[in-house]
Amino acid sequence: MVTVDMPQVGDIWSWLEAVPDPEIPVISVVDLGVVRDVAWQDDKLQITITPTYSGCPAMSVIAMDIETELLKRGINKLEIKTRIAPVWTTDWLSEKGLAKLEEYGIAPPQAAGEPERCPNCKSSSVEKISQFGSTPCKAQWRCKECLEPFDYFKCI
Amino acid sequence: MNALFEFLLRQGDNVLVLGHRTSEWCGTAPALEEDIALANTALDLIGQTKLWLEYAAEVEGEGRSANDLAFLRDAYDFRNVLMLETPNEDYGRTLMRQFLFDAFQVHWLTALTDSKDSRISEIAMKSVKEAQYHLERSRDTIIALGDGTELSNKKMQAALDYLWPYAREIMLVDDVDEAMHKDGIAPLPSEILAPWDALVKSTMRDAYLTIPDSNFVHKGGRTGQRHTEHLGHMLATMQVLQRSYPGATW
């Protein structure tokens, strides 16, 4: 029997770590918790992704970016499936992803429902501007110390 | 008549019609933050529409897609409640309509998470998180404007007075609801009336607004029997591309 070159699932996960989220390019689709499963079905690779919000316009771009990255790695037989349950939660953001968000200037989600501190000057004196922001997953806040407005990643 | 298909159209058309109405504010809302908030709310609603209408199209089994259902049906085939097709008019009415809907939708979707139909339960689990966020905002804004200036209070009261006769159509019960209830797919919408009423009463009290003393309910939207004239005008805009260039994609 000829062994077809089928990369290990672990390697594929690490390749997907290099696919950035199209809206927040400092974190990967894996850090965001959007990639839910990677599995070989015979000689076909199945990737399961889940939307952050049901209307998230980035989903088709994410699917295309994953496909492009894996094609580059020589995977031609690929199926990308979308599922909505279990429902995406900010709990699925990786530790690495949370740190990168703050470094980028986006306050990471907090269970308390509001940002812990300003991602720029780190002051805890912050106020809400709007419950919604530049993408469905973010809200707008402002720092009362440095006066900079910033995005807060909504906790859901 | 396929009761499940009817039921799914009602769920999908409610969020589609409200989503489109809300999107009409895009670029013209009273403040940038509000513009963004309304556009994001509309986006959530359109996303939920896709989940409901994809399932509706599968259940119908006639080879139609979610897009076909959204863009190629005429007004009399829509199954949304009348309140959601009423024109935006002003910001107060837009927010009041959103609140009266959210107050129902959060309880309704929470109940649907227990549906025996696993697909419906999944869609409800996804949508309810978004609905809760919408409710938090619409409730806060109703209170801020009701308990605001004399003018903002007057506008919010006028919005409530206008929408009140429409508000409870969504909790009427007919054969479709009975069939869903019997099969364990959904509770009767009338079961939501008590928690909805409690939430609306406490919110209007905090907003210094008076609920009209009338039990009259406009109906005909969710059954498709009689829509308002507004729906046709709205669809004329929403569907123009697919009507003018059938099958256009990008």
Side-chain angles (χ1 to χ4, degrees), chain B residues 77-160:
Chain B
D77 287 326
F78 272 73
R79 296 292 182 263
N80 58 285
V81 293
L82 301 176
M83 179 174 77
L84 305 179
E85 69 198 41
T86 56
N88 293 334
E89 187 67 20
D90 63 17
Y91 192 62
R93 203 190 279 178
T94 300
L95 287 174
M96 186 60 77
R97 185 183 59 199
Q98 184 72 41
F99 169 72
L100 293 171
F101 177 68
D102 292 341
F104 168 81
Q105 197 73 347
V106 165
H107 291 110
W108 177 243
L109 290 172
T110 302
L112 286 185
T113 60
D114 291 330
S115 174
K116 273 192 188 158
D117 184 314
S118 63
R119 185 84 171 264
I120 289 176
S121 146
E122 286 181 6
I123 297 172
M125 283 191 276
K126 183 75 192 165
S127 306
V128 75
K129 282 184 157 192
E130 294 161 3
Q132 279 159 347
Y133 201 81
H134 297 167
L135 175 63
E136 199 181 300
R137 174 173 179 278
S138 61
R139 185 174 185 278
D140 284 357
T141 324
I142 298 293
I143 294 171
L145 290 172
D147 185 13
T149 65
E150 206 177 309
L151 178 63
S152 72
N153 175 276
K154 207 172 114 193
K155 287 192 168 188
M156 295 315 286
Q157 185 64 54
L160 180 60

Coordinates of all heavy atoms in Angstrom, one line a residue, chain B residues 77-160:
Chain B
D77 N -46.3 36.6 1.3 CA -45.6 35.4 1.7 C -44.8 35.6 3.0 O -44.2 34.6 3.5 CB -44.8 34.8 0.6 CG -45.7 34.2 -0.5 OD1 -46.7 33.6 -0.1 OD2 -45.3 34.2 -1.7
F78 N -44.7 36.8 3.4 CA -43.9 37.1 4.6 C -44.7 36.8 5.9 O -45.9 36.9 5.9 CB -43.3 38.5 4.6 CG -42.0 38.6 3.9 CD1 -41.9 38.5 2.5 CD2 -40.8 38.7 4.6 CE1 -40.7 38.5 1.9 CE2 -39.6 38.8 4.0 CZ -39.5 38.7 2.6
R79 N -44.0 36.3 6.9 CA -44.6 35.9 8.2 C -44.2 36.6 9.4 O -44.3 36.1 10.5 CB -44.4 34.4 8.3 CG -45.0 33.5 7.3 CD -46.6 33.5 7.3 NE -47.2 32.7 6.3 CZ -47.6 33.1 5.1 NH1 -47.5 34.4 4.8 NH2 -48.1 32.3 4.2
N80 N -43.6 37.8 9.2 CA -43.2 38.6 10.3 C -44.4 39.3 11.0 O -45.4 39.6 10.3 CB -42.2 39.7 9.9 CG -42.8 40.6 8.8 OD1 -42.9 40.1 7.7 ND2 -43.2 41.8 9.2
V81 N -44.2 39.7 12.3 CA -45.3 40.4 12.9 C -45.2 41.9 12.4 O -44.2 42.4 12.0 CB -45.2 40.4 14.5 CG1 -45.4 39.0 15.0 CG2 -43.8 40.9 14.9
L82 N -46.4 42.5 12.4 CA -46.6 43.9 11.8 C -45.7 44.9 12.5 O -45.2 45.8 11.8 CB -48.0 44.3 12.0 CG -49.1 43.4 11.3 CD1 -50.5 43.9 11.6 CD2 -48.8 43.3 9.8
M83 N -45.5 44.8 13.8 CA -44.7 45.9 14.5 C -43.3 46.0 13.8 O -42.8 47.1 13.7 CB -44.5 45.5 15.9 CG -43.7 46.5 16.7 SD -43.6 46.2 18.5 CE -42.4 44.8 18.5
L84 N -42.7 44.9 13.4 CA -41.3 45.0 12.9 C -41.2 45.6 11.5 O -40.1 46.0 11.1 CB -40.7 43.6 12.9 CG -40.8 42.9 14.3 CD1 -40.2 41.5 14.2 CD2 -40.1 43.8 15.3
E85 N -42.3 45.7 10.8 CA -42.3 46.3 9.4 C -42.7 47.8 9.5 O -42.6 48.5 8.5 CB -43.2 45.6 8.5 CG -44.7 45.7 8.7 CD -45.5 44.6 8.0 OE1 -45.1 43.4 8.0 OE2 -46.6 44.9 7.5
T86 N -43.1 48.3 10.7 CA -43.5 49.7 10.7 C -42.2 50.6 10.5 O -41.1 50.2 10.8 CB -44.0 50.1 12.1 OG1 -43.0 49.7 13.1 CG2 -45.3 49.4 12.4
P87 N -42.4 51.7 9.8 CA -41.2 52.5 9.4 C -40.5 53.0 10.6 O -41.1 53.2 11.7 CB -41.8 53.7 8.6 CG -43.2 53.2 8.2 CD -43.6 52.3 9.2
N88 N -39.2 53.3 10.5 CA -38.4 53.8 11.6 C -38.9 55.1 12.2 O -38.9 55.3 13.4 CB -37.0 54.0 11.1 CG -36.3 52.7 10.8 OD1 -36.6 51.7 11.3 ND2 -35.3 52.8 9.9
E89 N -39.5 56.0 11.3 CA -40.0 57.3 11.7 C -39.0 58.1 12.4 O -38.4 59.1 11.8 CB -41.2 57.1 12.6 CG -42.0 58.3 13.0 CD -42.7 59.0 11.8 OE1 -42.9 58.3 10.8 OE2 -43.0 60.2 11.8
D90 N -38.7 57.9 13.7 CA -37.6 58.6 14.4 C -36.9 57.6 15.3 O -37.2 56.5 15.4 CB -38.2 59.8 15.2 CG -39.1 59.4 16.3 OD1 -39.1 58.2 16.7 OD2 -39.9 60.3 16.8
Y91 N -35.8 58.2 15.9 CA -35.0 57.3 16.7 C -35.7 56.7 17.9 O -35.5 55.5 18.2 CB -33.8 58.2 17.2 CG -32.7 57.4 17.7 CD1 -32.0 56.5 17.0 CD2 -32.3 57.6 19.1 CE1 -31.0 55.8 17.5 CE2 -31.3 56.9 19.6 CZ -30.6 55.9 18.8 OH -29.6 55.2 19.4
G92 N -36.6 57.5 18.5 CA -37.4 57.0 19.6 C -38.2 55.8 19.3 O -38.2 54.8 20.0
R93 N -38.9 55.9 18.1 CA -39.7 54.7 17.7 C -38.9 53.5 17.4 O -39.2 52.4 17.6 CB -40.6 55.1 16.6 CG -41.8 54.2 16.5 CD -42.6 54.4 15.2 NE -43.5 55.6 15.3 CZ -44.3 56.0 14.2 NH1 -44.3 55.3 13.1 NH2 -45.0 57.0 14.3
T94 N -37.7 53.8 16.7 CA -36.8 52.7 16.4 C -36.4 51.9 17.6 O -36.4 50.7 17.7 CB -35.6 53.2 15.7 OG1 -36.0 53.9 14.5 CG2 -34.6 52.1 15.3
L95 N -36.0 52.7 18.7 CA -35.5 52.0 19.9 C -36.6 51.3 20.7 O -36.5 50.3 21.3 CB -34.8 53.0 20.8 CG -33.5 53.5 20.3 CD1 -33.0 54.6 21.2 CD2 -32.5 52.4 20.3
M96 N -37.8 52.0 20.7 CA -39.0 51.4 21.4 C -39.4 50.0 20.7 O -39.6 49.1 21.4 CB -40.1 52.4 21.4 CG -41.3 51.9 22.2 SD -40.9 51.6 24.0 CE -40.9 53.3 24.6
R97 N -39.4 50.0 19.4 CA -39.7 48.8 18.7 C -38.7 47.7 19.0 O -39.0 46.6 19.3 CB -39.7 49.1 17.2 CG -40.1 48.0 16.3 CD -39.9 48.4 14.8 NE -38.6 48.8 14.5 CZ -38.2 49.6 13.4 NH1 -39.1 50.0 12.6 NH2 -36.9 49.8 13.2
Q98 N -37.4 48.1 19.0 CA -36.4 47.1 19.4 C -36.6 46.6 20.8 O -36.5 45.4 21.0 CB -35.0 47.8 19.3 CG -33.8 46.9 19.5 CD -33.6 46.0 18.3 OE1 -33.7 46.4 17.2 NE2 -33.3 44.7 18.6
F99 N -36.9 47.5 21.7 CA -37.0 47.0 23.1 C -38.2 46.0 23.2 O -38.1 45.0 23.8 CB -37.2 48.2 24.1 CG -37.7 47.7 25.4 CD1 -36.8 47.1 26.3 CD2 -39.0 47.9 25.9 CE1 -37.2 46.6 27.5 CE2 -39.4 47.4 27.1 CZ -38.5 46.7 27.9
L100 N -39.4 46.4 22.6 CA -40.6 45.6 22.8 C -40.3 44.2 22.1 O -40.8 43.2 22.6 CB -41.8 46.3 22.1 CG -42.3 47.6 22.8 CD1 -43.3 48.3 22.0 CD2 -42.8 47.3 24.2
F101 N -39.5 44.2 21.1 CA -39.2 42.9 20.5 C -38.2 42.1 21.3 O -38.3 41.0 21.6 CB -38.6 43.2 19.1 CG -38.1 41.9 18.4 CD1 -39.0 40.9 17.9 CD2 -36.8 41.7 18.1 CE1 -38.6 39.8 17.3 CE2 -36.4 40.5 17.5 CZ -37.3 39.6 17.1
D102 N -37.1 42.8 21.7 CA -36.0 42.2 22.5 C -36.6 41.5 23.8 O -36.2 40.4 24.2 CB -35.0 43.2 23.0 CG -34.1 43.7 21.8 OD1 -34.1 43.0 20.8 OD2 -33.5 44.7 22.0
A103 N -37.6 42.2 24.4 CA -38.2 41.8 25.7 C -38.9 40.5 25.5 O -38.9 39.6 26.4 CB -39.1 42.8 26.3
F104 N -39.5 40.3 24.3 CA -40.1 39.0 23.9 C -39.0 38.0 23.6 O -39.0 36.8 24.0 CB -41.0 39.2 22.7 CG -41.5 37.8 22.2 CD1 -42.5 37.1 22.7 CD2 -40.9 37.3 21.0 CE1 -42.9 35.9 22.2 CE2 -41.2 36.1 20.5 CZ -42.3 35.4 21.1
Q105 N -38.1 38.4 22.7 CA -37.2 37.5 22.0 C -36.2 36.8 23.0 O -35.9 35.6 22.9 CB -36.4 38.3 21.0 CG -35.6 37.4 20.0 CD -36.6 36.8 18.9 OE1 -37.8 36.8 19.1 NE2 -36.0 36.3 17.9
V106 N -35.8 37.5 24.1 CA -34.9 36.9 25.0 C -35.6 35.7 25.7 O -35.0 34.6 25.9 CB -34.3 37.9 26.0 CG1 -33.7 37.3 27.2 CG2 -33.3 38.8 25.4
H107 N -36.8 35.9 26.2 CA -37.6 34.9 26.8 C -37.9 33.7 25.9 O -37.8 32.6 26.2 CB -38.9 35.4 27.5 CG -38.6 36.3 28.6 ND1 -38.8 37.7 28.6 CD2 -38.1 36.1 29.9 CE1 -38.5 38.2 29.7 NE2 -38.1 37.2 30.5
W108 N -38.3 34.1 24.7 CA -38.7 33.1 23.7 C -37.5 32.2 23.3 O -37.6 31.0 23.3 CB -39.2 33.9 22.4 CG -39.7 33.1 21.3 CD1 -39.1 33.2 20.0 CD2 -40.7 32.1 21.2 NE1 -39.7 32.3 19.2 CE2 -40.7 31.7 19.8 CE3 -41.6 31.6 22.1 CZ2 -41.7 30.7 19.4 CZ3 -42.6 30.7 21.6 CH2 -42.6 30.2 20.3
L109 N -36.4 32.8 22.9 CA -35.2 32.1 22.5 C -34.7 31.2 23.7 O -34.3 30.1 23.4 CB -34.1 33.0 22.0 CG -34.4 33.7 20.7 CD1 -33.3 34.7 20.4 CD2 -34.5 32.7 19.5
T110 N -34.8 31.7 24.9 CA -34.4 30.9 26.0 C -35.2 29.7 26.1 O -34.7 28.6 26.3 CB -34.5 31.7 27.3 OG1 -33.7 32.9 27.2 CG2 -34.0 31.0 28.5
A111 N -36.5 29.8 25.9 CA -37.4 28.6 25.9 C -37.1 27.7 24.7 O -37.1 26.5 24.9 CB -38.9 29.1 25.9
L112 N -36.8 28.3 23.6 CA -36.5 27.4 22.4 C -35.2 26.6 22.5 O -35.0 25.7 21.8 CB -36.4 28.3 21.1 CG -37.7 28.8 20.6 CD1 -37.5 29.5 19.2 CD2 -38.8 27.7 20.4
T113 N -34.3 27.0 23.5 CA -33.1 26.2 23.6 C -33.4 24.8 24.1 O -32.7 23.9 24.0 CB -32.1 26.9 24.6 OG1 -32.7 27.0 25.9 CG2 -31.6 28.2 24.2
D114 N -34.6 24.6 24.7 CA -35.1 23.3 25.1 C -35.9 22.5 24.0 O -36.5 21.5 24.3 CB -36.0 23.4 26.4 CG -35.2 23.8 27.6 OD1 -34.0 23.5 27.6 OD2 -35.8 24.5 28.4
S115 N -35.9 23.1 22.8 CA -36.7 22.4 21.8 C -36.3 21.0 21.5 O -35.1 20.7 21.6 CB -36.5 23.3 20.5 OG -37.2 22.6 19.4
K116 N -37.2 20.1 21.2 CA -36.9 18.8 20.8 C -36.2 18.7 19.5 O -35.6 17.7 19.1 CB -38.2 17.9 20.8 CG -38.6 17.3 22.1 CD -39.7 16.3 21.9 CE -40.2 15.9 23.3 NZ -41.5 15.3 23.2
D117 N -36.4 19.7 18.7 CA -35.7 19.8 17.4 C -34.3 20.4 17.6 O -34.1 21.6 18.0 CB -36.5 20.8 16.5 CG -35.9 20.8 15.1 OD1 -34.7 21.0 14.9 OD2 -36.7 20.7 14.1
S118 N -33.3 19.6 17.5 CA -31.9 20.0 17.9 C -31.4 21.2 17.1 O -30.7 22.0 17.6 CB -30.9 18.8 17.8 OG -30.8 18.4 16.4
R119 N -31.8 21.3 15.8 CA -31.4 22.4 15.0 C -32.0 23.7 15.5 O -31.3 24.7 15.6 CB -31.9 22.1 13.6 CG -31.4 23.1 12.5 CD -30.1 22.8 12.0 NE -29.8 23.7 10.8 CZ -30.0 23.4 9.6 NH1 -30.4 22.1 9.3 NH2 -29.8 24.2 8.6
I120 N -33.2 23.7 15.9 CA -33.9 24.9 16.5 C -33.2 25.3 17.8 O -32.9 26.4 18.1 CB -35.4 24.7 16.7 CG1 -36.0 24.6 15.3 CG2 -36.0 25.7 17.6 CD1 -37.5 24.3 15.3
S121 N -32.9 24.2 18.6 CA -32.3 24.5 19.9 C -30.9 25.1 19.7 O -30.5 26.1 20.4 CB -32.2 23.2 20.7 OG -31.1 23.1 21.4
E122 N -30.1 24.7 18.7 CA -28.8 25.3 18.4 C -28.9 26.7 17.9 O -28.2 27.6 18.4 CB -28.1 24.4 17.3 CG -27.6 23.1 17.8 CD -26.9 22.3 16.7 OE1 -26.7 22.9 15.6 OE2 -26.5 21.2 17.0
I123 N -29.9 27.0 17.0 CA -30.1 28.4 16.5 C -30.4 29.3 17.7 O -29.9 30.4 17.8 CB -31.1 28.4 15.4 CG1 -30.7 27.6 14.2 CG2 -31.4 29.9 15.0 CD1 -31.7 27.4 13.1
A124 N -31.3 28.8 18.6 CA -31.7 29.6 19.7 C -30.6 29.8 20.7 O -30.4 31.0 21.2 CB -32.9 28.8 20.5
M125 N -29.7 28.8 20.9 CA -28.6 29.0 21.8 C -27.6 30.1 21.2 O -27.0 30.9 22.0 CB -27.8 27.7 22.0 CG -28.5 26.8 23.0 SD -27.5 25.4 23.5 CE -27.8 24.3 22.1
K126 N -27.4 30.1 19.9 CA -26.6 31.1 19.3 C -27.2 32.5 19.4 O -26.5 33.4 19.7 CB -26.3 30.7 17.8 CG -25.4 31.6 17.1 CD -23.9 31.3 17.5 CE -23.0 32.3 17.0 NZ -21.7 32.3 17.6
S127 N -28.5 32.5 19.0 CA -29.1 33.8 18.9 C -29.4 34.5 20.3 O -29.4 35.7 20.4 CB -30.5 33.7 18.2 OG -30.3 33.0 16.9
V128 N -29.7 33.7 21.3 CA -30.1 34.3 22.6 C -29.0 35.2 23.2 O -29.3 36.2 23.8 CB -30.6 33.2 23.5 CG1 -29.5 32.4 24.2 CG2 -31.5 33.9 24.6
K129 N -27.8 34.8 23.0 CA -26.7 35.6 23.5 C -26.7 37.0 22.9 O -26.4 38.0 23.6 CB -25.3 35.0 23.2 CG -24.9 33.8 24.0 CD -23.5 33.3 23.6 CE -22.8 32.6 24.7 NZ -21.4 32.4 24.4
E130 N -26.9 37.0 21.6 CA -27.0 38.3 20.9 C -28.2 39.1 21.3 O -28.2 40.3 21.6 CB -27.0 38.1 19.4 CG -25.7 37.5 18.9 CD -25.7 36.8 17.6 OE1 -26.7 36.8 16.9 OE2 -24.6 36.3 17.2
A131 N -29.4 38.4 21.5 CA -30.6 39.1 21.9 C -30.5 39.7 23.3 O -30.9 40.8 23.6 CB -31.8 38.1 21.9
Q132 N -29.8 39.0 24.2 CA -29.5 39.5 25.6 C -28.8 40.8 25.5 O -29.1 41.7 26.2 CB -28.8 38.5 26.4 CG -29.7 37.4 27.0 CD -28.9 36.1 27.4 OE1 -27.7 36.0 27.0 NE2 -29.6 35.3 28.1
Y133 N -27.8 40.8 24.6 CA -27.0 42.1 24.5 C -27.8 43.2 23.9 O -27.7 44.3 24.4 CB -25.7 41.7 23.6 CG -24.6 42.7 23.8 CD1 -23.7 42.6 24.9 CD2 -24.4 43.8 22.9 CE1 -22.7 43.4 25.1 CE2 -23.4 44.7 23.1 CZ -22.5 44.5 24.2 OH -21.4 45.4 24.3
H134 N -28.7 42.9 23.0 CA -29.5 43.9 22.4 C -30.5 44.4 23.5 O -30.7 45.6 23.5 CB -30.4 43.3 21.2 CG -29.6 42.9 20.1 ND1 -30.1 42.1 19.1 CD2 -28.3 43.0 19.8 CE1 -29.1 41.8 18.2 NE2 -28.0 42.4 18.6
L135 N -31.0 43.5 24.3 CA -32.0 43.9 25.3 C -31.3 44.9 26.3 O -31.9 45.9 26.7 CB -32.6 42.7 26.0 CG -33.5 43.0 27.2 CD1 -34.8 43.8 26.7 CD2 -34.0 41.7 27.9
E136 N -30.1 44.5 26.7 CA -29.4 45.3 27.7 C -29.3 46.8 27.2 O -29.6 47.7 27.9 CB -28.0 44.8 27.8 CG -27.3 45.2 29.1 CD -25.9 44.5 29.1 OE1 -25.8 43.3 29.1 OE2 -24.9 45.3 29.1
R137 N -29.0 46.9 25.9 CA -28.8 48.2 25.3 C -30.2 48.9 25.1 O -30.3 50.1 25.5 CB -28.1 48.1 24.0 CG -28.0 49.5 23.3 CD -27.1 49.4 22.1 NE -27.2 50.7 21.4 CZ -28.1 51.2 20.6 NH1 -29.1 50.4 20.3 NH2 -28.1 52.4 20.1
S138 N -31.2 48.2 24.5 CA -32.4 48.9 24.2 C -33.1 49.3 25.5 O -33.7 50.4 25.6 CB -33.3 48.0 23.4 OG -33.7 46.8 24.0
R139 N -33.0 48.5 26.6 CA -33.7 48.8 27.8 C -33.0 50.0 28.5 O -33.7 51.0 28.9 CB -33.6 47.6 28.8 CG -34.3 47.8 30.1 CD -34.3 46.6 31.0 NE -35.2 46.9 32.1 CZ -34.7 47.5 33.2 NH1 -33.5 47.9 33.3 NH2 -35.5 47.8 34.2
D140 N -31.7 50.0 28.5 CA -30.9 51.2 29.1 C -31.3 52.5 28.3 O -31.4 53.5 28.9 CB -29.4 51.0 28.9 CG -28.9 50.0 30.0 OD1 -29.7 49.6 30.8 OD2 -27.7 49.7 30.0
T141 N -31.4 52.4 27.0 CA -31.6 53.6 26.2 C -33.0 54.1 26.4 O -33.3 55.3 26.4 CB -31.3 53.3 24.7 OG1 -30.2 52.4 24.6 CG2 -31.0 54.6 23.9
I142 N -34.0 53.2 26.5 CA -35.4 53.6 26.7 C -35.5 54.4 28.0 O -36.1 55.4 28.1 CB -36.3 52.3 26.8 CG1 -36.4 51.5 25.5 CG2 -37.7 52.7 27.3 CD1 -37.0 52.2 24.4
I143 N -34.8 53.8 29.1 CA -34.8 54.5 30.4 C -34.1 55.8 30.3 O -34.6 56.9 30.8 CB -34.2 53.6 31.4 CG1 -35.1 52.3 31.6 CG2 -34.1 54.3 32.8 CD1 -34.6 51.2 32.5
A144 N -32.9 55.9 29.6 CA -32.2 57.1 29.6 C -33.0 58.2 28.9 O -33.0 59.4 29.3 CB -30.9 56.9 28.8
L145 N -33.7 57.8 27.8 CA -34.5 58.8 27.0 C -35.8 59.2 27.7 O -36.2 60.3 27.7 CB -34.7 58.4 25.6 CG -33.4 58.4 24.7 CD1 -33.6 57.7 23.4 CD2 -32.9 59.8 24.5
G146 N -36.4 58.2 28.3 CA -37.7 58.4 29.0 C -37.5 59.3 30.2 O -38.2 60.3 30.4
D147 N -36.4 59.0 30.9 CA -36.0 59.8 32.1 C -35.0 60.8 31.7 O -34.0 61.0 32.4 CB -35.4 58.8 33.1 CG -35.1 59.5 34.4 OD1 -35.6 60.6 34.6 OD2 -34.4 58.9 35.3
G148 N -35.2 61.5 30.5 CA -34.2 62.4 30.0 C -34.7 63.9 30.1 O -35.1 64.3 31.2
T149 N -34.9 64.5 29.0 CA -35.5 65.8 29.0 C -37.0 65.7 28.7 O -37.5 64.7 28.4 CB -34.9 66.7 27.8 OG1 -35.3 66.1 26.6 CG2 -33.4 66.7 27.9
E150 N -37.7 66.9 28.8 CA -39.1 66.9 28.5 C -39.4 66.4 27.1 O -40.3 65.7 26.9 CB -39.6 68.3 28.7 CG -41.0 68.4 29.1 CD -41.4 69.9 29.4 OE1 -40.8 70.6 30.2 OE2 -42.4 70.3 28.8
L151 N -38.5 66.9 26.2 CA -38.7 66.5 24.8 C -38.5 65.0 24.5 O -39.3 64.4 23.9 CB -37.8 67.4 23.9 CG -37.9 67.1 22.4 CD1 -39.2 67.4 21.8 CD2 -36.8 67.9 21.6
S152 N -37.4 64.5 25.1 CA -37.1 63.1 24.9 C -38.2 62.2 25.5 O -38.6 61.2 24.9 CB -35.7 62.7 25.4 OG -35.6 62.7 26.8
N153 N -38.7 62.6 26.7 CA -39.8 61.8 27.3 C -41.0 61.9 26.4 O -41.7 60.8 26.2 CB -40.1 62.4 28.7 CG -41.3 61.7 29.3 OD1 -42.4 62.1 29.1 ND2 -41.0 60.7 30.1
K154 N -41.3 63.0 25.8 CA -42.5 63.1 25.0 C -42.4 62.2 23.7 O -43.3 61.6 23.3 CB -42.6 64.6 24.6 CG -44.1 65.0 24.3 CD -44.1 66.5 24.1 CE -44.5 66.8 22.6 NZ -44.3 68.2 22.2
K155 N -41.2 62.2 23.2 CA -41.0 61.4 22.0 C -41.1 59.9 22.3 O -41.6 59.1 21.5 CB -39.6 61.7 21.4 CG -39.6 63.0 20.6 CD -38.3 63.2 19.8 CE -38.5 64.4 18.9 NZ -37.4 64.5 17.9
M156 N -40.5 59.5 23.4 CA -40.6 58.1 23.8 C -42.0 57.7 24.1 O -42.5 56.6 23.8 CB -39.7 57.8 25.0 CG -38.2 58.0 24.8 SD -37.6 57.3 23.2 CE -37.6 55.5 23.5
Q157 N -42.8 58.6 24.8 CA -44.2 58.3 25.0 C -45.0 58.1 23.7 O -45.8 57.2 23.6 CB -44.8 59.4 25.9 CG -46.2 59.1 26.4 CD -46.3 57.8 27.3 OE1 -45.6 57.7 28.3 NE2 -47.1 56.9 26.9
A158 N -44.7 59.0 22.8 CA -45.4 58.9 21.5 C -45.0 57.6 20.8 O -45.9 57.0 20.2 CB -45.0 60.1 20.6
A159 N -43.8 57.2 20.9 CA -43.4 55.9 20.3 C -44.1 54.7 20.9 O -44.6 53.8 20.2 CB -41.8 55.7 20.5
L160 N -44.2 54.8 22.2 CA -44.9 53.7 23.0 C -46.4 53.7 22.6 O -46.9 52.6 22.3 CB -44.7 53.8 24.5 CG -45.4 52.8 25.4 CD1 -44.9 51.4 25.0 CD2 -45.1 53.1 26.8

